[in-house]
């Protein structure tokens, strides 16, 4: 293995095919979107070069700015609800509990359910008449909290975010769970001999040790908040009155409903730039945290 890793030609042979596929699928797509973002084009007729006017127009586009704001709400709900729940579940079921494999499977089931099915399921739960959410609130005498959740501008964004939190919580739980199970048991045994309880073990040993995998999970969550599309589109299509519209839905409608390929591609480039910025911020924050732990 060491001999192979020291052979640069062998490394190049293995890397080049993957790099070529990555370049064709990702880099060429981004580059073509960047070129189209500089044009005034409806997708079929003659394209007219307009430079950065499409980007300038985005600063004055209230719908797109509102969509970015909604993505922050999505991000906040994800980090506040999904991350702690995933970590807590991973810590609990990795502690050699009875039925560990069963719990692991149950929590992962929402991940493998088709998004369209998940969307239809939650639409039924949110139904103002027969939905279980309002039925439950009525059963516990909280009728004043009953809502038409997906048609109220005040509640639609959070209501549209919760299904995504539920769907992907098991995915992040499995990432953290795998990191915890890879830790050597000797560390925990030594700490237990010194009198550490389960909380101290989790806080002082588990959390610092799994920091790299937590960074991966948080990066997926943060970048995913900007790429969210399918589930929200199924639930609300961005309504009512753009109240739950996220950047990807605005981009989709601009390109495929209005046939404004230039502005839509400019939105796509902004989304890519924000995702890269988010990834760099997360990497920087975790790097500082890891340095403090060292």
């Amino acid at each position: 293995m060491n001999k192979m890793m020291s052979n640069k030609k062998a490394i190049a042979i293995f890397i080049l095919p993957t790099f070529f596929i990555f370049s064709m699928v990702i880099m060429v797509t981004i580059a073509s979107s960047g070129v189209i973002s500089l044009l005034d084009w409806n997708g079929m007729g003659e394209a007219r070069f307009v430079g950065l006017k499409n980007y300038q127009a985005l600063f004055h586009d209230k719908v797109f700015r509102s969509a970015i704001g909604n993505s922050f709400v999505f991000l906040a709900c994800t980090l506040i609800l999904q991350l702690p729940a995933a970590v807590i579940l991973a810590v609990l079921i990795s502690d050699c509990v009875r039925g560990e494999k069963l719990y692991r499977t149950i929590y992962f089931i929402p991940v493998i359910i088709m998004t369209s099915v998940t969307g239809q399921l939650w639409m039924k739960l949110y139904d103002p008449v027969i939905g279980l959410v309002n039925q439950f609130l009525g059963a516990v005498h909280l009728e004043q909290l009953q809502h038409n959740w997906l048609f109220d501008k005040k509640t639609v964004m959070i209501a549209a975010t919760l299904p995504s939190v539920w769907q992907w919580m098991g995915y992040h739980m499995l990432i953290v769970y795998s990191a915890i199970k890879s830790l050597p048991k000797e560390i925990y045994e030594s700490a237990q001999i010194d009198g550490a309880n389960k909380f101290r073990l989790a806080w002082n040993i588990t959390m610092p040790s799994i920091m790299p995998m937590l960074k991966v999970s948080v990066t997926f969550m943060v970048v995913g908040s900007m790429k969210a599309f399918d589930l929200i589109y199924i639930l609300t299509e961005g309504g009512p009155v753009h109240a739950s519209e996220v950047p990807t839905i605005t981009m989709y409608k601009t390109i495929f409903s209005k046939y404004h390929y230039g502005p839509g591609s400019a939105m796509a480039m902004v989304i890519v730039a924000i995702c890269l910025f988010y990834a760099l911020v997360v990497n920087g924050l975790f790097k500082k945290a890891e340095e403090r732990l060292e």
Side-chain angles (χ1 to χ4, degrees):
M1 179 62 71
N2 292 332
K3 185 178 180 180
M4 180 179 292
M5 293 304 294
S6 62
N7 190 332
K8 294 183 179 180
K9 290 184 179 180
I11 295 173
I13 290 173
F14 282 104
I15 290 178
L16 282 176
T18 304
F19 179 76
F20 176 76
I21 295 173
F22 175 82
S23 299
M24 292 300 295
V25 176
I26 305 297
M27 302 306 294
V28 172
T29 304
I30 294 175
S32 61
S33 295
V35 172
I36 296 173
S37 70
L38 304 176
L39 305 175
D40 179 11
W41 186 42
N42 64 4
M44 296 184 66
E46 184 179 352
R48 184 169 61 90
F49 182 78
V50 294
L52 298 177
K53 287 186 178 180
N54 290 327
Y55 292 95
Q56 294 172 351
L58 292 183
F59 290 101
H60 305 286
D61 189 336
K62 293 182 179 179
V63 174
F64 188 66
R65 285 186 296 173
S66 174
I68 292 178
N70 288 337
S71 72
F72 290 141
V73 176
F74 190 99
L75 172 60
C77 290
T78 299
L79 292 178
I80 293 173
L81 300 176
Q82 193 176 75
L83 180 61
V87 172
I88 291 172
L89 287 175
V91 171
L92 290 177
I93 67 174
S94 64
D95 194 24
C96 298
V97 297
R98 174 182 285 183
E100 179 178 330
K101 293 182 179 179
L102 176 63
Y103 288 123
R104 188 178 63 200
T105 303
I106 290 173
Y107 291 132
F108 193 75
I109 287 175
V111 179
I112 61 177
I113 297 176
M114 291 178 61
T115 302
S116 57
V117 176
T118 301
Q120 291 297 321
L121 170 65
W122 281 84
M123 286 176 68
K124 297 297 187 294
L125 292 175
Y126 285 135
D127 188 282
V129 179
I130 62 172
L132 289 180
V133 175
N134 282 345
Q135 291 285 342
F136 173 77
L137 292 173
V140 295
H141 306 292
L142 293 174
E143 291 84 359
Q144 67 275 14
L145 296 180
Q146 291 177 334
H147 269 76
N148 195 344
W149 299 95
L150 296 177
F151 290 90
D152 188 333
K153 293 175 66 175
K154 295 180 180 179
T155 60
V156 64
M157 194 60 222
I158 294 178
T161 301
L162 289 178
S164 182
V165 171
W166 173 79
Q167 182 181 23
W168 293 104
M169 181 176 61
Y171 177 79
H172 296 286
M173 179 274 297
L174 193 62
I175 291 177
V176 178
Y177 169 85
S178 301
I180 295 174
K181 296 299 283 187
S182 66
L183 299 177
K185 295 182 180 180
E186 292 78 8
I187 301 176
Y188 292 97
E189 292 172 355
S190 299
Q192 287 175 331
I193 292 173
D194 292 336
N197 56 31
K198 290 187 176 181
F199 176 79
R200 301 296 296 180
L201 290 173
W203 186 255
N204 292 331
I205 296 178
T206 303
M207 295 304 293
S209 300
I210 65 172
M211 197 65 71
M213 293 308 294
L214 279 178
K215 181 175 70 173
V216 172
S217 189
V218 171
T219 301
F220 285 162
M221 291 181 186
V222 170
V223 174
S225 68
M226 279 302 297
K227 299 193 303 178
F229 173 80
D230 46 4
L231 192 52
I232 296 178
Y233 190 81
I234 291 169
L235 289 169
T236 67
E237 295 187 12
V241 197
H242 308 294
S244 64
E245 199 160 302
V246 288
T248 50
I249 293 180
T250 308
M251 177 194 70
Y252 175 83
K253 290 181 177 179
T254 302
I255 295 176
F256 297 106
S257 297
K258 301 177 181 178
Y259 300 103
H260 293 165
Y261 278 72
S265 296
M267 292 177 186
M269 297 305 296
V270 171
I271 292 171
V272 170
I274 293 176
C275 287
L276 290 174
F277 173 75
Y278 279 170
L280 291 173
V281 169
V282 171
N283 186 67
L285 292 175
F286 271 87
K287 187 175 181 180
K288 290 182 179 179
E290 290 170 359
E291 289 175 353
R292 289 180 181 178
L293 291 172
E294 291 176 357

